[in-house]
Amino acid sequence: MKIERYDRALGAYLGVAVGDALGATVEFMLPREIRHLYGVHCEIVGGGWLKLKPGRVTDDTEMSLALGGALIAAGGWDAYAVADAFVAWLKSKPVDVGNTCRRGIQRYMMVRSLSGPVSESDGGNGALMRISPLVLATLNDDMAFRRQALEQAHITHNHPLSDIATLVLGEMARMLINGGGIKECRVLANALLTEYPRFRFDPYPGRASGYIVDTVQTVLHHFFHGDSFESCVVATVNCGEDADTTGAIVGMLAGALYGASAIPVRWLDKLDPGVVTEIRQQVDGLLELPGSQ
């Protein structure tokens, strides 16, 4: 069955929110703890260490929405507008903020610098988790995607492994939305492993932390071994640890592959309706930007 480009684009963005909301319940838990409490965690029930209401999303989705809103408001890329949107988000007292994201945003607030120095402490997954709106905004402009992906990343994360992961997984999502499939993703993954063998994900090393290598290994292993949107996301979040973010990222890829129509209705019905509405509106706006035409 041919999956339309719009369905894939919407699936990629809604997939972030669904994976985030599902994974937040088991964030910082170990797989054995998840099995003890839930068997297999596969329902959006809220709770977790943040004591969330069912369907509430965290910083993964919220920073994506901040980025997407800035792109639409500016009519395209404006790094300062994106940084200002991150500032506004931080000042809104979000339910959760990663330390690296907080530090980068606060640096921008103090000195208006769009990038800090390369730092080992920036090797987290925060730049990758929010890439989906930029993917949608640059579907037909390869050079713009690469440049803008790194510029948005460096507002909070300046690390070579974060950079390459953001580029490669973002490129996978772009390629999928534009009609590609698993085989093309494998080519991109193999190229990544050739240049950066530490990202090797088969056999799965079993770590799902916020360190970018662990995150990418978890996401790619379960993305390539899944056979549906639901199977990819459930297997990923049941690894625990940074489950909201690994769930959000694999949700982006699985949504881009299988489409929004493949996301379980029971999950979409549980999501915060305001978030769903905003995502749908942003998808329409992002696909109208010059880089997506």
Side-chain angles (χ1 to χ4, degrees):
M1 182 183 70
K2 180 176 172 56
I3 303 174
E4 296 298 329
R5 183 176 186 253
Y6 181 83
D7 192 41
R8 289 175 181 254
L10 181 60
Y13 210 157
L14 284 175
V16 172
V18 167
D20 180 7
L22 183 70
T25 302
V26 294
E27 186 181 13
F28 298 137
M29 294 175 64
L30 298 175
R32 66 175 182 271
E33 295 171 326
I34 297 171
R35 289 193 297 270
H36 176 73
L37 283 178
Y38 300 101
V40 176
H41 173 56
C42 59
E43 302 298 336
I44 294 178
V45 295
W49 76 278
L50 292 169
K51 298 180 173 58
L52 301 175
K53 293 181 180 179
R56 174 73 187 271
V57 296
T58 72
D59 52 340
D60 309 271
T61 306
E62 291 174 350
M63 290 198 79
S64 299
L65 291 170
L67 173 56
L71 291 168
I72 293 168
W77 180 251
D78 182 332
Y80 283 100
V82 171
D84 288 339
F86 290 163
V87 170
W89 169 74
L90 184 62
K91 288 183 176 180
S92 74
K93 298 182 179 179
V95 66
D96 189 27
V97 185
N99 290 333
T100 309
C101 287
R102 184 192 300 276
R103 184 171 64 245
I105 296 168
Q106 289 177 335
R107 183 205 67 247
Y108 172 76
M109 292 168 65
M110 290 185 291
V111 298
R112 295 281 290 178
S113 168
L114 291 169
S115 177
V118 176
S119 172
E120 278 302 312
S121 65
D122 285 3
N125 54 24
L128 172 57
M129 73 184 188
R130 60 183 186 243
I131 197 64
S132 55
L134 191 56
V135 164
L136 269 60
T138 58
L139 286 173
N140 285 330
D141 193 332
D142 296 345
M143 291 183 64
F145 168 72
R146 289 190 288 270
R147 177 177 62 83
Q148 295 169 21
L150 292 181
E151 287 185 16
Q152 71 82 27
H154 291 171
I155 295 170
T156 56
H157 292 68
N158 193 350
H159 189 284
L161 296 180
S162 167
D163 286 355
I164 193 63
T166 301
L167 289 174
V168 172
L169 272 69
E171 184 57 45
M172 284 185 186
R174 292 178 72 241
M175 181 271 299
L176 289 168
I177 294 168
N178 281 323
I182 286 287
K183 288 184 179 180
E184 292 90 342
C185 285
R186 277 286 186 182
V187 171
L188 291 172
N190 289 342
L192 172 66
L193 299 184
T194 297
E195 189 171 0
Y196 296 92
R198 69 179 68 188
F199 282 107
R200 184 183 177 197
F201 52 87
D202 278 327
Y204 177 51
R207 298 179 298 273
S209 78
Y211 176 47
I212 192 62
V213 173
D214 295 347
T215 292
V216 169
Q217 289 171 331
T218 299
V219 166
L220 292 185
H221 176 83
H222 295 295
F223 174 65
F224 285 122
H225 285 79
D227 59 5
S228 66
F229 179 91
E230 182 168 357
S231 67
C232 291
V233 176
V234 168
T236 299
V237 302
N238 277 270
C239 293
E241 298 190 62
D242 201 14
D244 59 331
T245 301
T246 58
I249 297 167
V250 83
M252 173 184 71
L253 294 178
L257 174 62
Y258 298 106
S261 56
I263 300 176
V265 174
R266 74 181 195 280
W267 286 352
L268 291 174
D269 287 346
K270 283 286 188 178
L271 274 184
D272 181 336
V275 168
V276 174
T277 297
E278 189 171 358
I279 286 175
R280 289 183 178 275
Q281 291 173 343
Q282 284 200 10
V283 169
D284 292 340
L286 292 165
L287 293 179
E288 292 175 358
L289 293 176
S292 198
Q293 297 299 309

